[in-house]
Amino acid sequence: MNDHADATAERAPVPAAALDAIKQALGSKGWTDDPDIMAPYLMDMRELFPGRAALLARPAGTDEVAALVAICAEHGVAIVPQGGNTGLVGAGVPHAHGGEILVNMGRMNKVRAIDPLNDTITVDAGCVLADIQEAAADADRLFPLSLGAEGSCQIGGNLSTNAGGTGVLHYGNARALVLGLEVVLPDGRLWDGLRGLRKDNTGYDLKQLFIGAEGTLGIITGAVLRLFPKPRRIETALAAIPDPAASIELLARLRAALGDQVTAIELMPRIGFDMALRNVPGTVDPLRGRHDWYVLLEVSATQEGAALRDGLEAVLATALEDGLVEDAVIAETGAQRDQIWFMREAIPLSQKAEGGSIKHDISVPVSRVADFIAEADAACIAAMPGVRPVGFGHVGDGNMHYNLTEPEGADTEAFMAEWERMNRVVHAIVERMGGSISAEHGIGQLKRGELRRYRSKTELSLMHTLKSALDPQGIMNPGKVL
Amino acid sequence: MNDHADATAERAPVPAAALDAIKQALGSKGWTDDPDIMAPYLMDMRELFPGRAALLARPAGTDEVAALVAICAEHGVAIVPQGGNTGLVGAGVPHAHGGEILVNMGRMNKVRAIDPLNDTITVDAGCVLADIQEAAADADRLFPLSLGAEGSCQIGGNLSTNAGGTGVLHYGNARALVLGLEVVLPDGRLWDGLRGLRKDNTGYDLKQLFIGAEGTLGIITGAVLRLFPKPRRIETALAAIPDPAASIELLARLRAALGDQVTAIELMPRIGFDMALRNVPGTVDPLRGRHDWYVLLEVSATQEGAALRDGLEAVLATALEDGLVEDAVIAETGAQRDQIWFMREAIPLSQKAEGGSIKHDISVPVSRVADFIAEADAACIAAMPGVRPVGFGHVGDGNMHYNLTEPEGADTEAFMAEWERMNRVVHAIVERMGGSISAEHGIGQLKRGELRRYRSKTELSLMHTLKSALDPQGIMNPGKVL
């Protein structure tokens, strides 16, 4: 499943002189080599990449990060930056050889400043996402990045992976939410790019390099983030639709009517509902009858008044007349809203109870989503009779979590051994449609081989050029991404 | 005023073998060395940087651009990419030494594809911005990039300069509108990154390198751009306000009430109104009485109905009660709307009639705009008694066009000779407030010295690292930006 045997299987142990210097620089609270304390930091969330490290460093501030990296640069020691360790591709955990320093950013967890008139918040990289959301809300603002791990993931990790989530349709990916960055470079120099400006065309936009680089070009230590007006009305609907194509047409109609007030659209298949209802306590089917497909629709407005709900109802009414929608419900209470969202969130949770799942995090142009699902379902079932495709997710971004659950009664281990073969089937269709084999989860260790397979020589060579230019020693998170 | 004597004053002539190979590759329609035809392409719009070139190349397609660049790379010949030649900092014109090939992209002017369900349009780099706006409108979509030169500027130039304009408040800069790029690299290789995806985390986001690089890292030949729902209602108001701080408070209230439906806010001083009314035929003061400051407000919605106008009126009514607004008018007709916008556009047009102007294109955090204007006005008048500061512009982006018009009756030449001294006064305040000395116009030739003065050693060294890594021969638009 992973493909990092090349440069990453072995590395010389970290020299004692480097370890001593790091311990000195960080002080006794800033490091540990106690195996029990280190254990949870060494394993990724999906438990695919157990690692080891010479030391777990926990710097308390930007200057300590800079000192640590300077020592590592001097001794040629590899560094693995880590946020909340909620990543799904093994980017934030060390390799198994143990010759790396793991740098967890969790002690740098302060909101440095908030400027409501500039609609910005300045934060340490180790701030937990939910804490930033809360600080924004306290200032009557919205920080719109929202994803399942928000209670423990850290903003430095969100930015290093250009996190997506459910707010992308209106607010964009994490990259779109950044105005400024503070970064410790691979040679220990500090780049202070903490500007809170909406327009700045003074040379190359350096912050873009580090966003989405998964810690391979430097360590993000701070950021200036954009805030938005807080929505005062949110309307959430669940609609049953005949097929995935209907979700795209419905999205186009909704956007024509309500514009950027359309803040979420999530596509779900009946098989996902069935799995959720079967396996996840507390799930309730919000609609009567069985339907092949569902969409969760959410629209938001800062403005009070009935216009938003009227607009949503009008689009749904016309869609019902046209056969684009078979049935629909708009949440009347917060509890109903939660129930609809819980069905969406229960789908990935429910799959484990059904056996193994081979997972894909793909995107295609929004106009191709229906074609993708049709072709991928047919190809996967042809390649493995009885396999159960469960394609669901952020259809408004063209991003589907296309998971293949094992055939009923299958041997899970034998099924999971087919991971690469089924990747080939799915990713070949993605490639043909001009899509992406990692829409929001990144590359890390898990998809390095896939990146090499599906990106052009020119593209890969440009990435290597950047890596060599910024990190000539190759000490920043080696064996990740490239 | 300019500061490019270093590497750019001289260069060996372009070898005959290179010229012959280029002529061969482009065919007779693809080049000229006729001085009369070349003349308008050799001078920038502000007429600050007269240049010369060995040849004007006008490639008809991406393959021709790649062939041309490969020949130049082989012979070490410098290349100057040029769009509509509407830039304000001399980035798109050749140096005076004549040892460069000027590559105008105007023949590559096709809309390649439009995908309304994906909300994307794929274009050649030489497409005129207004043509893209029109193609989007024909598909019932909005391409929101909008600026004064839209009738002749080309999208390749807009992307290479990360253009701003009047739509940034809601839609962002040009960078935010790009999903994919096609670029010819400095060695002649083609990078095809023309993906139309809203989520794609497969390694480094290479397109970010070329956006805003002013043609110094490669030539953009095509792009996939984002489209948006077309607004069906637009409300435009002009409000008289006591001071600049009122515009920021008004913006905060408007955004709290109407969210991202607030699409423009432009601040204007009375002196700008006076100059416009005095010098630009057709200008009419939309309000009775004299007021010190004005804001143009625009809100837009896709949704029909009165909610938008009601919301705007409610905010203005409360602001009037609170003394935040002294008087206001909401346009009742398209003609009234045009009249309000014309006052805004007339301000820069009117300045020429008042004598010389020393210009600044600065940004600060939005919360600091009022402080900036107060401090800069005081400092400039102290430094040059009688000078007339005219600060106006995109206050919602923190971006002011802060122009200093000569004292009444001054000697224009002597006044203009003070350009650098007055830059120092203004830019020192910008620097202290964490602002930018080029918010939307870029660096080009005009601001290379300012970039070196106001960006840190680390930042400049990172920019040079990128330039050397991607263009080791230094042939892509040398002597611009860095």
Side-chain angles (χ1 to χ4, degrees), chain B residues 126-458:
Chain B
C127 272
V128 169
L129 174 53
D131 293 341
I132 299 174
Q133 293 168 343
E134 198 181 314
D138 288 347
D140 198 35
R141 295 291 185 275
L142 173 75
F143 182 63
L145 188 64
S146 176
L147 43 96
E150 62 197 27
S152 57
C153 65
Q154 296 171 12
I155 191 68
N158 298 145
L159 301 184
S160 292
T161 57
N162 185 29
T166 54
V168 174
L169 186 65
H170 177 73
Y171 299 103
N173 295 285
R175 183 182 301 277
L177 306 176
V178 183
L179 293 182
L181 282 187
E182 179 188 82
V183 179
V184 173
L185 303 172
D187 57 8
R189 283 181 302 167
L190 177 69
W191 171 53
D192 179 356
L194 279 181
R195 293 188 278 272
L197 304 174
R198 279 180 173 66
K199 281 185 178 171
D200 180 19
N201 277 334
T202 48
Y204 307 148
D205 190 358
L206 298 173
K207 66 177 176 288
Q208 306 295 347
L209 286 169
F210 306 101
I211 301 169
E214 303 184 23
T216 63
L217 300 178
I219 303 182
I220 295 174
T221 53
V224 184
L225 306 170
R226 294 172 67 193
L227 301 177
F228 292 80
K230 192 151 77 174
R232 312 213 179 265
R233 292 191 77 93
I234 297 177
E235 301 289 349
T236 308
L238 184 78
I241 54 175
D243 52 40
S247 71
I248 307 301
E249 174 63 20
L250 197 56
L251 172 64
R253 291 185 184 193
L254 260 181
R255 280 169 63 89
L258 294 172
D260 286 333
Q261 295 178 121
V262 185
T263 42
I265 176 165
E266 298 282 320
L267 180 65
M268 296 164 285
R270 180 69 216 183
I271 187 175
F273 265 41
D274 287 338
M275 288 181 177
L277 293 166
R278 204 154 50 218
N279 302 315
V280 182
T283 49
V284 178
D285 191 338
L287 293 172
R288 260 172 296 202
R290 288 178 65 85
H291 303 272
D292 287 344
W293 290 89
Y294 299 86
V295 274
L296 181 162
L297 303 168
E298 196 158 274
V299 295
S300 311
T302 49
Q303 202 169 5
E304 300 285 359
L308 185 74
R309 176 144 183 148
D310 292 349
L312 176 61
E313 281 176 355
V315 170
L316 286 174
T318 313
L320 266 162
E321 279 169 30
D322 296 349
L324 207 59
V325 164
E326 297 171 344
D327 192 8
V329 59
I330 303 181
E332 297 290 343
T333 64
Q336 275 183 23
R337 176 177 184 249
D338 292 346
Q339 199 181 69
I340 292 173
W341 271 107
F342 188 53
M343 279 303 287
R344 161 66 181 82
E345 285 151 15
I347 293 176
L349 301 176
S350 71
Q351 286 190 278
K352 214 164 190 172
E354 302 280 335
S357 284
I358 295 171
K359 301 192 172 189
H360 306 85
D361 165 41
I362 67 93
S363 68
V364 292
V366 176
S367 50
R368 302 304 304 277
V369 167
D371 294 342
F372 167 76
I373 293 174
E375 292 189 33
D377 282 3
C380 289
I381 290 167
M384 186 189 284
V387 76
R388 292 175 290 167
V390 185
F392 65 95
H394 319 299
V395 63
D397 312 320
N399 174 201
M400 301 303 292
H401 297 302
Y402 188 78
N403 295 344
L404 300 170
T405 299
E406 64 177 45
E408 288 184 37
D411 176 282
T412 300
E413 203 172 322
F415 170 77
M416 293 301 278
E418 303 278 7
W419 187 291
E420 288 224 28
R421 184 171 73 91
M422 297 310 286
N423 273 185
R424 283 294 78 64
V425 173
V426 173
H427 288 168
I429 299 168
V430 170
E431 169 75 353
R432 186 155 40 75
M433 293 185 175
S436 168
I437 54 104
S438 188
E440 57 177 12
H441 295 165
I443 299 298
Q445 302 180 59
L446 181 66
K447 295 187 180 172
R448 288 176 73 216
E450 294 300 280
L451 185 73
R452 273 182 287 219
R453 185 182 295 269
Y454 293 108
R455 286 297 174 241
S456 69
K457 267 190 191 171
T458 303

Side-chain angles (χ1 to χ4, degrees), chain A residues 89 159-162 175 208-214 216-217 436-444 447-448 450-452 455 459-460 462-464 466 480-482, chain B residues 191 195 200-208:
Chain A
V89 294
L159 301 184
S160 293
T161 58
N162 186 27
R175 182 182 302 276
Q208 306 296 346
L209 285 170
F210 306 100
I211 301 169
E214 303 185 21
T216 63
L217 300 178
S436 168
I437 55 104
S438 188
E440 57 176 12
H441 295 164
I443 300 298
K447 294 188 180 173
R448 287 178 73 216
E450 294 300 279
L451 185 73
R452 275 183 285 220
R455 286 297 175 239
E459 186 145 335
L460 292 169
L462 272 173
M463 291 187 199
H464 280 287
L466 286 180
K480 315 292 168 63
V481 183
L482 293 176
Chain B
W191 171 53
R195 293 188 278 272
D200 180 19
N201 277 334
T202 48
Y204 307 148
D205 190 358
L206 298 173
K207 66 177 176 288
Q208 306 295 347

